[in-house]
Amino acid sequence: MASSAEARLAAVPAPEAGPDGLHAMFLGPYAENDSLLEKLVLEFLRDHVYWRRNFHPEDPPAIPTDAASRPGYQAFEARMRRELHLLSAALKRSVPFHSPRYVGHMASDLLLPGLAAQILTLPYNPNNVSEDAAPVTIDLEVQAGLQLARMVGYPDDPQRPDCAFGHLTSGGTLANYQALRLALALKAFPVALRAAGVPAIDVPEDDWAAFNLGPDASIALLSDWTTWLAGLPPRERRHWSAALAAERVETLGLVDFFARHPQLKVPKVLAPITAHYSWSKGLKLLGLGRDQLELLPERGMRLDPVALEQALERCQRERQPVLMAVAVLGTTEYGTVDPVDAVVDARDEWRERGLGFSVHVDGAWGGYLASLFRNPDGSFRPLHEVRQGFRRFPQPEVHAAFAALGRTDSVTVDPHKLGYLPYGAGAFICRDHRATALLAESADYVFHEDAARDGRSEEYLARYRRLGQFIPEGSKSGAAAAAVYVSHKVLPLDHAHFGQLPRQTILAAEAFHEAADRLAQELEGVARVVVPFAPDSNLVCLAINPHGNERLEVANAFVRALHRELRTDGRQPLQMREFFGTTTTLRPQAVGGAEMARILRDVGLDPSTLDEEGDGDDDHLLILRHTLMNPYLVDHANGISYIDRYLEFLAQRIRALQA
Ligand SMILES: *Cc1c(COP(=O)(O)O)cnc(C)c1O
């Protein structure tokens, strides 16, 4: 890489808001902000101590003041210190997510506001299962849900009856599971209402129609039902509540529910083939079975709307109900963005044709990119504005996908991925909170459509202070909720604030793409290096094939050997590694046959050596995968680009392996 370092550095401009803000956001690769974090931790630890002391200062200290000088105390302290030292020493073999030399998995440094809020909250140990155990942080979790709702374009004003609702989960896996649970509850509710024979409410004429109402009509029906129920005398209300409960899928279980409704088959979930394996887990957990997960082929790494249309036509023909269509916003393997707009259009169109289903967006990875598309006033930014300063982001299709987010039924977003927060923080958000009545453990049809405007906000909060009623988990971390809330308050989820972070990562990906093209030229005659598809967001892959080779297995073995030098190895000191990257595979089932052949030819491989049926090393192409989320990939102060350094390292290793 011979061209001047300065010219290359120019490829990633310094953050718009000036680097000063960015400089305070993280502990930093060199722990530059050590004294800031130390100050915060100490300050709020002391604050916590005063809180204990001022609770009932008349209570004398329970631990004797001379306890620390006793042998048993000292022995305990010694054992504790020893184990903590061992732990701390062992943790030195951890993965250096904080370093700009790490471009592997979806992890990076932690935002200081979130980290400090989490540490600060830990000793109070709030349990966000209910307000009794978390009088403060449970509200923060509900607010964090509204912050995320606003970012994706859902109604976020609790005074609106159809306001969104979001809550945190242990991760994206559980958020996706919650989406399945809610979609099934909504789909089965009208069927139960019919079966219960409730008078005075208009229900569809048969089970098939009831099962295919679609989520919005189902929510409307649920509202009618609750309003009607609320107007009954208590005895009748109890009677009809019980009659409905007896018919619900949540009471009967899948076996009895479908036995009672022989017109209905177990519904399918349609997802793109690149969908995360949490979808398979979710279908197993819900008892629908993995066979009900139908993986749709893609075109150009994105869900193919034509394939979706064909699948829906077949379902309609075979009277096969569909529970949900999933669109992925930033695939785990490639960072590509599915056409969310086409998927919600399909939902609306097929509902008219009698095949209703929900649309869920799995934005565990890419959800926070939505901040780039949002103005501080909440409005959506037009393409030409979002595009400013980028070379090709966002492609018009990607912009259209983000514009359609507000029309989906629910979304998964992971604060512990692109939200730069500690693990244990995923999020599920649904567009219309009224649906959650169907998830409640104890009959919960309490919301009143006619609540006074001012009362509604309070009612909304009161409802979700019983969070454990609605979520898959029970006891859960209030500290994690505090971290998410505070982080979003310090950096609101719009392009001018939080958006500065994803902006840096997209710029880094674009710079990486350009630098990789230069690397390809430089390595001519040594190896073919190709960016196999233009990145939609901030993941960039590299396909590599040694010069002169045409066979897939040889190329895969070469990339595997390269990756051995880029992998964390718990048995070796961290410092032995220069850089960290990961791999992924390209398969024709995901990429499409024509696209796969194009990529193989680009990298100098003979497409006929691909054996699609094979289960060996020749049914896929192994490629390097890079997650460019570290905010310090380009060090403007010292004139260092870790992107260039990484690629120089790669070039050197490629030459060495070829020698
Ligand atoms: C990471 C990821 C998940 C799973 O999230 P966890 O937080 O690991 O449980 C689901 N879907 C996508 C697209 C992801 O990237």
Side-chain angles (χ1 to χ4, degrees):
M1 312 221 50
S3 54
S4 90
E6 261 170 35
R8 281 194 244 113
L9 272 174
V12 179
E16 249 173 25
D20 296 356
L22 187 66
H23 288 164
M25 285 185 200
F26 297 92
L27 179 55
Y30 190 74
E32 294 87 339
N33 287 320
D34 58 337
S35 53
L36 176 55
L37 180 59
E38 211 175 287
K39 202 168 72 185
L40 294 172
V41 170
L42 193 65
E43 181 176 338
F44 292 106
L45 177 65
R46 285 186 176 147
D47 220 30
H48 176 80
V49 168
Y50 302 143
W51 178 68
R52 291 194 178 198
R53 292 197 177 159
N54 289 319
F55 175 53
H56 272 288
E58 69 276 21
D59 297 347
I63 299 169
T65 41
D66 70 345
S69 60
R70 296 183 195 174
Y73 186 109
Q74 286 171 357
F76 183 88
E77 183 185 339
R79 276 215 311 284
M80 174 165 73
R81 292 181 71 93
R82 179 182 153 73
E83 290 306 322
L84 289 176
H85 277 296
L86 290 176
L87 171 67
S88 181
L91 285 171
K92 301 300 176 288
R93 285 186 281 116
S94 297
V95 183
F97 294 133
H98 63 275
S99 168
R101 287 171 178 263
Y102 185 85
V103 286
H105 290 288
M106 300 167 150
S108 180
D109 209 348
L110 299 170
L111 274 170
L112 276 182
L115 180 63
Q118 184 136 351
I119 296 174
L120 188 172
T121 310
L122 277 175
Y124 298 87
N125 199 27
N127 176 356
N128 273 19
V129 70
S130 77
E131 70 175 319
D132 288 351
V136 179
T137 51
I138 209 153
D139 282 4
L140 303 187
E141 177 156 349
V142 177
Q143 294 300 336
L146 292 171
Q147 291 165 333
L148 290 167
R150 179 183 168 89
M151 175 177 75
V152 300
Y154 287 167
D156 67 329
D157 175 3
Q159 297 200 344
R160 278 179 63 161
D162 62 346
C163 181
F165 166 67
H167 64 84
L168 302 182
T169 56
S170 62
T173 300
L174 223 70
N176 287 343
Y177 173 66
Q178 179 77 328
L180 287 169
R181 220 161 68 101
L182 185 60
L184 182 63
L186 275 173
K187 197 166 182 60
F189 169 73
V191 178
L193 200 60
R194 264 193 93 245
V198 176
I201 291 183
D202 246 355
V203 290
E205 72 226 34
D206 63 14
D207 278 353
W208 173 262
F211 209 41
N212 278 291
L213 268 192
D216 282 348
S218 183
I219 291 171
L221 202 57
L222 178 60
S223 292
D224 290 349
W225 151 256
T226 38
T227 310
W228 176 75
L229 202 65
L232 294 179
R235 180 194 288 267
E236 274 190 65
R237 192 184 310 148
R238 274 196 302 278
H239 167 75
W240 286 112
S241 278
L244 175 75
E247 295 294 339
R248 288 189 52 194
V249 68
E250 288 81 2
T251 309
L252 295 169
L254 293 177
V255 174
D256 280 357
F257 180 83
F258 286 102
R260 284 185 191 207
H261 304 284
Q263 252 196 38
L264 303 177
K265 291 188 206 165
V266 179
K268 284 205 186 290
V269 171
L270 308 178
I273 193 155
T274 46
H276 188 266
Y277 67 109
S278 52
W279 289 102
S280 158
K281 287 186 186 175
L283 275 128
K284 289 196 279 182
L285 195 55
L286 204 59
L288 291 173
R290 201 160 57 188
D291 269 359
Q292 271 37 265
L293 180 60
E294 183 164 330
L295 295 175
L296 302 174
E298 307 202 324
R299 249 194 4 218
M301 322 298 293
R302 300 181 185 139
L303 183 140
D304 179 2
V306 176
L308 175 65
E309 195 66 16
Q310 285 165 353
L312 291 169
E313 264 161 28
R314 184 173 34 74
C315 288
Q316 170 94 323
R317 210 169 43 241
E318 298 172 357
R319 304 277 277 183
Q320 167 61 59
V322 176
L323 178 62
M324 165 191 282
V326 179
V328 184
L329 200 77
T331 52
T332 318
E333 297 305 318
Y334 318 111
T336 41
V337 173
D338 283 337
V340 179
D341 46 327
V343 181
V344 285
D345 285 347
R347 177 200 60 196
D348 295 350
E349 187 195 317
W350 280 92
R351 186 185 49 225
E352 297 309 311
R353 295 162 73 174
L355 191 74
F357 56 88
S358 300
V359 171
H360 178 78
V361 165
D362 184 356
W365 171 244
Y368 275 97
L369 295 176
S371 61
L372 281 168
F373 296 79
R374 200 57 62 191
N375 282 311
D377 69 3
S379 59
F380 191 76
R381 304 175 75 207
L383 180 60
H384 70 271
E385 279 182 26
V386 184
R387 193 167 254 178
Q388 276 164 25
F390 295 118
R391 252 153 285 167
R392 63 182 300 282
F393 179 87
Q395 289 296 292
E397 304 90 281
V398 169
H399 183 265
F402 279 89
L405 275 183
R407 294 165 59 206
T408 62
D409 297 297
S410 53
V411 181
T412 290
V413 183
D414 264 0
H416 67 202
K417 282 184 178 167
L418 264 185
Y420 296 87
L421 291 172
Y423 283 113
F428 169 78
I429 310 118
C430 59
R431 193 193 50 210
D432 187 332
H433 88 99
R434 290 172 297 186
T436 63
L438 295 174
L439 295 176
E441 261 307 298
S442 58
D444 170 90
Y445 310 110
V446 291
F447 54 87
H448 305 298
E449 294 291 320
D450 52 2
R453 260 191 78 81
D454 285 349
R456 199 174 272 139
S457 263
E458 216 15 72
E459 189 177 311
Y460 178 97
L461 266 178
R463 172 180 169 88
Y464 293 113
R465 284 182 186 133
R466 297 152 57 236
L467 200 56
Q469 287 288 318
F470 305 97
I471 59 175
E473 289 139 310
S475 297
K476 65 202 286 275
S477 165
V484 177
Y485 172 81
V486 168
S487 176
H488 292 172
K489 284 298 269 191
V490 177
L491 285 170
L493 301 176
D494 57 60
H495 80 97
H497 298 95
F498 185 89
Q500 291 296 315
L501 281 171
R503 181 182 170 76
Q504 283 299 300
T505 78
I506 303 270
L507 288 170
E510 292 189 337
F512 188 104
H513 190 172
E514 283 206 347
D517 287 346
R518 286 194 299 270
L519 175 76
Q521 285 172 16
E522 214 182 281
L523 285 177
E524 241 169 77
V526 182
R528 286 265 199 112
V529 178
V530 168
V531 175
F533 48 89
D536 270 354
S537 58
N538 45 13
L539 261 62
V540 189
C541 295
L542 284 181
I544 302 168
N545 180 33
H547 182 72
N549 171 59
E550 292 197 344
R551 285 179 45 228
L552 206 52
E553 293 149 77
V554 175
N556 286 346
F558 190 79
V559 169
R560 208 171 301 118
L562 261 182
H563 179 232
R564 269 197 288 277
E565 310 193 20
L566 296 169
R567 209 169 51 185
T568 38
D569 177 353
R571 291 157 306 181
Q572 277 187 348
L574 211 54
Q575 289 78 1
M576 303 273 291
R577 284 277 180 268
E578 292 285 333
F579 289 92
F580 296 84
T582 55
T583 58
T584 187
T585 54
L586 284 180
R587 292 174 196 275
Q589 296 87 335
V591 188
E595 184 75 354
M596 186 78 190
R598 194 267 304 158
I599 292 169
L600 292 178
R601 275 193 300 272
D602 280 359
V603 79
L605 290 167
D606 176 0
S608 73
T609 62
L610 179 80
D611 178 6
E612 278 191 45
E613 307 302 307
D615 51 4
D617 206 16
D618 51 3
D619 65 340
H620 65 269
L621 177 68
L622 190 69
I623 57 177
L624 293 181
R625 162 181 173 270
H626 309 94
T627 307
L628 297 159
M629 73 177 281
N630 190 290
Y632 303 101
L633 284 168
V634 177
D635 172 354
H636 289 273
N638 294 305
I640 297 172
S641 162
Y642 287 92
I643 295 168
D644 295 336
R645 287 202 174 174
Y646 168 73
L647 290 171
E648 281 161 25
F649 171 76
L650 211 56
Q652 178 212 333
R653 297 321 304 155
I654 289 171
R655 286 182 205 278
L657 278 174
Q658 268 293 64

